[in-house]
Amino acid sequence: MKFLVSLLTAAALSMPAHADDVSFGPNQLCGLQAARPDANPALRVKTVQGRNGPIGYARFGRGTPLLLITGYRATLGEWNAYFLGELAKHHDVIVFDNRGIGRTAAIEGRFGPDYGISDMAADAADVIAGLKLSRVDVLGWSMGGMIAQQLALDAPEKVESLTLIATAPPGPQAVPTSPDVLAVLSGSGKDAFPQIMRVLFPANVAGEASQCFVGDMFAPHGYKGRPVPDAVAAQQNAAMTRWFADSAAADALRRSPVRTLIVAGANDEVLADANARRLEQIIPRATLDVVADAGHALMFQYPVELARHVDAFVSK
């Protein structure tokens, strides 16, 4: 009996904390010698007509269509250019600005108190329709992951697969972003940038990330997406608050037919990986990977490895 107990104890100590823990190896911050789509001077941000006006988007690559939805206060330029370049090797990549940001118009009178995640999901559906695509693989990061979930609920016939990165489920069992972290992400001024880096990245890489974060952002020729209006940021914050109270959406996700990959950072200070584990419990066809030594901005920490991980899932 003592031998059996010792054997079981040793086996338990040798196992990872969770079966879904993964490692992407060394950080890929700074100094990458890889393709980036914005190196092509012919690439431009264009617009497609949505129900609320023009929506700014960029499209590049070859292969199956992959629609990327970005997060809180983020423009299409907040994607890591090397992450996009790796995805573009096998996919027709489409990135776009959420409403009221960058090249996507904020139509006066259309952004009142009812503005929410479902409205932004409708904008994403308009991009798909406007580009005359029938079905697409969808990837959402942070708040974009919430929009992607709603899109899969509202238009499952348009969504081939769903990849949810560093995001949270709907409903009161989610763990929202803390007020302190949200204040950092909403900050401005000379001290804001280093503070933002400290909440987007683990402490051991935040300094390195601050040196190359801006340079590694997707920057199509002639595109300027900043600054994000404070009113739009406030509306996005209100939309996420309502998302965290949306029990009906959580119930609907339990019946979702869409094949889903959930990726979370083990050191995410913005949306804790407990959200990803909750998502795995809710979505029937979900696979979860929690990445060791990763924060909220995984696509900047591991642009090439994360893109290959996504491609392996999407291409199944």
Side-chain angles (χ1 to χ4, degrees):
M1 178 63 73
K2 289 183 178 180
F3 173 76
L4 180 59
V5 170
S6 298
L7 188 63
L8 291 173
T9 301
L13 290 173
S14 66
M15 292 176 64
H18 297 277
D20 44 44
D21 286 355
V22 300
S23 173
F24 285 163
N27 283 278
Q28 297 165 344
L29 287 159
C30 303
L32 276 180
Q33 301 296 317
R36 50 186 296 167
D38 53 0
N40 179 0
L43 179 65
R44 294 289 191 276
V45 174
K46 301 177 182 179
T47 59
V48 62
Q49 188 63 27
R51 69 197 70 188
N52 287 315
I55 300 173
Y57 77 95
R59 187 177 186 180
F60 45 86
R62 297 181 64 181
T64 55
L66 176 62
L67 181 75
L68 276 66
I69 309 177
T70 194
Y72 175 65
R73 294 193 69 185
T75 71
L76 62 81
E78 251 77 7
W79 292 107
N80 179 282
Y82 301 107
F83 174 67
L84 297 180
E86 189 67 25
L87 289 174
K89 291 179 179 179
H90 304 288
H91 301 283
D92 172 13
V93 177
I94 302 121
V95 295
F96 69 98
D97 283 324
N98 290 320
R99 61 170 62 188
I101 289 177
R103 297 281 178 85
T104 299
I107 306 300
E108 188 175 354
R110 297 293 186 94
F111 298 91
D114 293 331
Y115 170 69
I117 297 296
S118 60
D119 297 287
M120 290 185 279
D123 294 338
D126 285 348
V127 174
I128 297 169
L131 297 180
K132 302 188 184 323
L133 299 169
S134 56
R135 287 175 68 83
V136 300
D137 295 292
V138 176
L139 183 154
W141 171 67
S142 195
M143 184 189 75
M146 303 171 198
I147 299 168
Q149 291 171 64
Q150 189 66 55
L151 176 62
L153 291 177
D154 294 343
E157 74 282 357
K158 296 181 182 294
V159 180
E160 184 69 31
S161 73
L162 198 58
T163 299
L164 305 174
I165 300 176
T167 191
Q173 292 189 342
V175 182
T177 306
S178 73
D180 289 344
V181 169
L182 195 61
V184 170
L185 295 175
S186 303
S188 59
K190 64 178 183 179
D191 296 330
F193 182 73
Q195 292 181 34
I196 291 171
M197 292 296 99
R198 284 194 286 272
V199 298
L200 289 182
F201 296 95
N204 61 312
V205 298
E208 185 182 1
S210 66
Q211 297 173 26
C212 55
F213 184 85
V214 174
D216 287 354
M217 287 168 57
F218 179 55
H221 183 77
Y223 173 78
K224 296 187 185 305
R226 288 286 185 178
V228 173
D230 289 342
V232 173
Q235 287 164 338
Q236 289 186 351
N237 188 20
M240 289 189 290
T241 298
R242 290 195 293 274
W243 177 255
F244 292 128
D246 194 345
S247 297
D251 290 339
L253 275 176
R254 291 186 175 91
R255 301 183 296 275
S256 173
V258 179
R259 189 170 63 92
T260 303
L261 172 66
I262 304 162
V263 182
N267 308 103
D268 192 337
E269 291 191 24
V270 178
L271 288 168
D273 66 335
N275 286 302
R277 301 189 190 282
R278 177 61 180 157
L279 268 171
E280 183 192 26
Q281 295 170 355
I282 293 174
I283 300 175
R285 299 181 65 193
T287 299
L288 170 63
D289 291 317
V290 179
V291 183
D293 190 30
H296 193 63
L298 286 91
M299 66 278 195
F300 279 86
Q301 268 191 273
Y302 305 102
V304 174
E305 286 304 317
L306 179 59
R308 290 175 179 171
H309 196 69
V310 170
D311 177 59
F313 167 76
V314 169
S315 301
K316 282 182 180 177

